[in-house]
Amino acid sequence: MNQIITISREFGSGGRELGKRLAETMGLAYYDYEIIKGIADKSGLALAYVNSIVEHHMTEYYPIRIGRSFTVVNKPVTETAVFKAQSELIKELAEKEGGVFIGRCADYILREKRPVRIMIYADLKSRLLRCREKAKSGERLSDEEMRRQIIAVDKRRSRYYEQYTGQKWGVKENFDLCINTSGVKIKEMIPGLVEYMRIFEN
Amino acid sequence: MNQIITISREFGSGGRELGKRLAETMGLAYYDYEIIKGIADKSGLALAYVNSIVEHHMTEYYPIRIGRSFTVVNKPVTETAVFKAQSELIKELAEKEGGVFIGRCADYILREKRPVRIMIYADLKSRLLRCREKAKSGERLSDEEMRRQIIAVDKRRSRYYEQYTGQKWGVKENFDLCINTSGVKIKEMIPGLVEYMRIFEN
C-alpha cells in the first residue's frame, strides 16, 4: 500500500503548498479541493453547500428548509451526512492508492490506517506575509483585517475538528511531526522531509 | 558560526539519544551532563547540589544552612545563581563553536542566537518501553512505578522551565520542529533530520 500522509495546518502557514510539493516529490496522489467535489457527488448535496460545511465550516449560516419553515433541528443531520460522505470518500481514496490529504479531519478519519500525521503552523507575522503574497491583486485587506480573518478561519477549523473527532485541534500529541514554517521557505523543507518520511515506510 | 540546536524532551522520549546522534552525524559539539560540571566549576557550588537543581530540579529537598539554622529564605538566591552560571556557560559554549544542547532551558537562554529548537515527545507506552530498555539490570520498578516516575520528572522539568523562562513548557509554538518518537527507531530518524537542518544553515 502507498504511504498515507495527512496535513493539518493553520491558515496561512503554507501547509497546502508543503503538502502539494511533498506529494509531487514522493509521487503520491494529492487530495485537497477534490474531496469537496467528491463529497458533493457522493451525498447528492450541492457543491456550494458541501464547500461551505467542509471548507469554511460555516454551517451556522445555512438553516435547513423543511416544508414551509426554516429550522435548525435538521442541521446536524445534514452536517453529519456530509461528514459521513467525507469519511467514506477519504477512506476509499486512501485505500486505493494512499496519498497526501489536506485537512478535513483526515488524520482522524484514517486513524486505523496509521497515516503519517503532520501539523503545519507558523507565527502570525509569517502567516500574514504568506496570506499577503497569495492574496488576489484586487484584494485590499488591511493587516488588521487579515489578522482577524486568519484567527476566524482557525477558530472555525478548530471547532469543526473538535466536534467530529472529540480531539483538541493542533495538539502536538496527535501528530507524528509538527513543523513551524515561520520565516522558512517551504520549498527548501522538502528534501529533508522526503528523507524523513522513509522511517514510516514499513 | 556553527549551527546551534537545542533539544527539549519529555522523559523517556529518546531526546538525548537523538541529540547525541544528530551531533555526531553533523560534526557538532554535544552538551549534556558537561553543563552540570561546568556550572559547578563556574559557581563554586558542589557538583551534587548543582546536579540536584539543574538535572533533577529538586531544590525543595535542599534547605540552605545559614549559621546554625536551616532556612529556605536563601534558596531562590542560590537557585538563581545556578541559573545565572548555567546561562553564562551555555552562551559561552554556543558562542565558541555552536553545538547540540540538551534541555536546561537552552532554547530560551540562547533565544537571541536563534537556535534551531527541537522538541522530542512520545506517548506513555513508548516512553515506558524506552525507560525499561535503559534501566539498569538491578532496577525493578513496576510499570506503574515507572509511569509515576516519568510523570514526576516531566512535572519538575516543566515547573523549572516555566519558572525561569516565563514560557509554558513543551508548547509547539516555541519550537521549530516537534518530533513524536512513539514506535520509531531514533537511529532511523537521523538522515532525514540532518537533511532538514540544512534549511536553517543561513
Side-chain angles (χ1 to χ4, degrees):
Chain A
M1 197 182 67
N2 279 316
Q3 210 161 20
I4 303 169
I5 298 171
T6 66
I7 310 258
S8 306
R9 76 288 181 221
E10 287 182 349
F11 188 69
S13 68
R16 209 164 266 203
E17 184 193 337
L18 188 141
K20 206 172 179 89
R21 287 185 183 274
L22 201 59
E24 275 169 13
T25 314
M26 295 178 74
L28 291 172
Y30 171 79
Y31 297 110
D32 187 0
Y33 193 75
E34 299 78 357
I35 294 172
I36 310 292
K37 177 78 178 65
I39 298 168
D41 292 347
K42 235 180 154 55
S43 63
L45 291 162
L47 187 64
Y49 181 68
V50 173
N51 194 43
S52 74
I53 292 181
V54 180
E55 188 76 346
H56 303 293
H57 318 307
M58 286 174 119
T59 53
E60 55 270 34
Y61 306 127
Y62 289 80
I64 305 299
R65 186 164 197 163
I66 296 180
R68 287 187 177 191
S69 60
F70 283 95
T71 175
V72 289
V73 177
N74 267 21
K75 189 180 67 100
V77 178
T78 318
E79 259 187 60
T80 307
V82 168
F83 189 77
K84 197 164 166 278
Q86 175 182 337
S87 298
E88 281 168 14
L89 182 65
I90 287 175
K91 278 180 192 167
E92 266 173 40
L93 293 169
E95 187 74 43
K96 208 172 117 200
E97 50 170 0
V100 175
F101 294 81
I102 307 294
R104 303 177 179 98
C105 307
D107 56 331
Y108 177 81
I109 291 167
L110 297 174
R111 64 195 181 284
E112 283 168 19
K113 299 189 187 294
R114 303 179 63 77
V116 184
R117 302 155 304 165
I118 301 179
M119 170 80 205
I120 309 295
Y121 63 103
D123 60 29
L124 209 52
K125 193 181 146 196
S126 298
R127 291 158 73 193
L128 270 169
L129 211 65
R130 278 207 179 86
C131 287
R132 186 66 69 204
E133 280 167 8
K134 282 177 66 185
K136 296 178 192 97
S137 58
E139 211 169 278
R140 282 282 173 270
L141 291 182
S142 69
D143 270 5
E144 181 48 31
E145 285 166 330
M146 210 168 245
R147 195 188 68 82
R148 259 184 279 148
Q149 194 191 47
I150 288 172
I151 290 168
V153 170
D154 277 356
K155 205 170 172 181
R156 284 201 299 265
R157 281 183 183 170
S158 155
R159 212 188 304 140
Y160 181 82
Y161 183 86
E162 287 171 26
Q163 183 178 349
Y164 282 101
T165 68
Q167 292 180 170
K168 211 166 150 45
W169 186 68
V171 170
K172 73 177 191 299
E173 281 70 20
N174 295 331
F175 298 100
D176 298 293
L177 198 60
C178 302
I179 302 173
N180 190 337
T181 57
S182 306
V184 181
K185 286 203 182 79
I186 303 287
K187 197 181 168 181
E188 293 178 359
M189 302 174 129
I190 303 302
L193 278 181
V194 170
E195 179 65 37
Y196 191 79
M197 287 304 117
R198 295 167 65 103
I199 63 169
F200 300 105
E201 267 173 7
N202 299 314
Chain B
M1 198 183 65
N2 278 315
Q3 211 162 20
I4 302 171
I5 298 170
T6 65
I7 311 258
S8 305
R9 75 290 183 217
E10 287 181 348
F11 189 67
S13 68
R16 209 166 268 200
E17 186 193 336
L18 189 142
K20 204 172 179 89
R21 287 184 183 275
L22 201 58
E24 276 169 12
T25 313
M26 295 178 74
L28 290 172
Y30 171 79
Y31 297 111
D32 187 0
Y33 194 75
E34 297 79 358
I35 294 171
I36 311 292
K37 177 76 178 65
I39 298 168
D41 292 348
K42 235 179 154 55
S43 63
L45 292 162
L47 186 64
Y49 181 69
V50 173
N51 193 44
S52 74
I53 292 181
V54 180
E55 188 74 347
H56 303 293
H57 319 306
M58 287 175 117
T59 53
E60 54 270 32
Y61 305 128
Y62 288 80
I64 305 298
R65 186 165 195 164
I66 297 180
R68 284 187 182 193
S69 60
F70 283 95
T71 175
V72 290
V73 176
N74 267 21
K75 190 181 68 101
V77 179
T78 319
E79 258 187 63
T80 306
V82 167
F83 188 77
K84 196 165 169 273
Q86 176 182 336
S87 299
E88 282 169 14
L89 182 65
I90 286 175
K91 279 181 191 166
E92 265 173 40
L93 293 169
E95 187 73 43
K96 207 173 116 201
E97 52 168 357
V100 176
F101 294 81
I102 307 294
R104 301 174 182 99
C105 307
D107 57 330
Y108 178 81
I109 290 167
L110 296 174
R111 65 195 179 283
E112 283 168 18
K113 298 187 188 296
R114 304 181 62 80
V116 184
R117 302 153 305 165
I118 302 179
M119 170 81 204
I120 309 294
Y121 62 103
D123 61 28
L124 209 52
K125 194 181 145 197
S126 297
R127 292 159 72 195
L128 270 169
L129 211 65
R130 279 207 178 87
C131 287
R132 187 66 71 204
E133 279 168 7
K134 281 178 67 184
K136 297 179 190 94
S137 58
E139 212 169 277
R140 282 283 172 269
L141 291 181
S142 70
D143 270 6
E144 181 48 32
E145 284 165 331
M146 211 167 242
R147 196 188 67 82
R148 259 184 280 149
Q149 193 191 45
I150 288 172
I151 291 167
V153 170
D154 277 356
K155 205 169 173 183
R156 284 201 298 265
R157 280 184 183 168
S158 155
R159 210 189 304 142
Y160 181 83
Y161 184 85
E162 287 170 27
Q163 183 177 350
Y164 283 101
T165 69
Q167 292 182 170
K168 211 165 147 50
W169 185 67
V171 170
K172 73 177 189 301
E173 282 68 21
N174 295 332
F175 299 99
D176 298 292
L177 199 60
C178 302
I179 302 173
N180 190 337
T181 57
S182 306
V184 182
K185 287 202 182 80
I186 302 289
K187 196 180 168 180
E188 293 177 358
M189 302 173 130
I190 303 301
L193 279 181
V194 170
E195 179 66 36
Y196 191 80
M197 288 303 116
R198 294 166 66 103
I199 62 171
F200 300 105
E201 267 173 7
N202 301 317

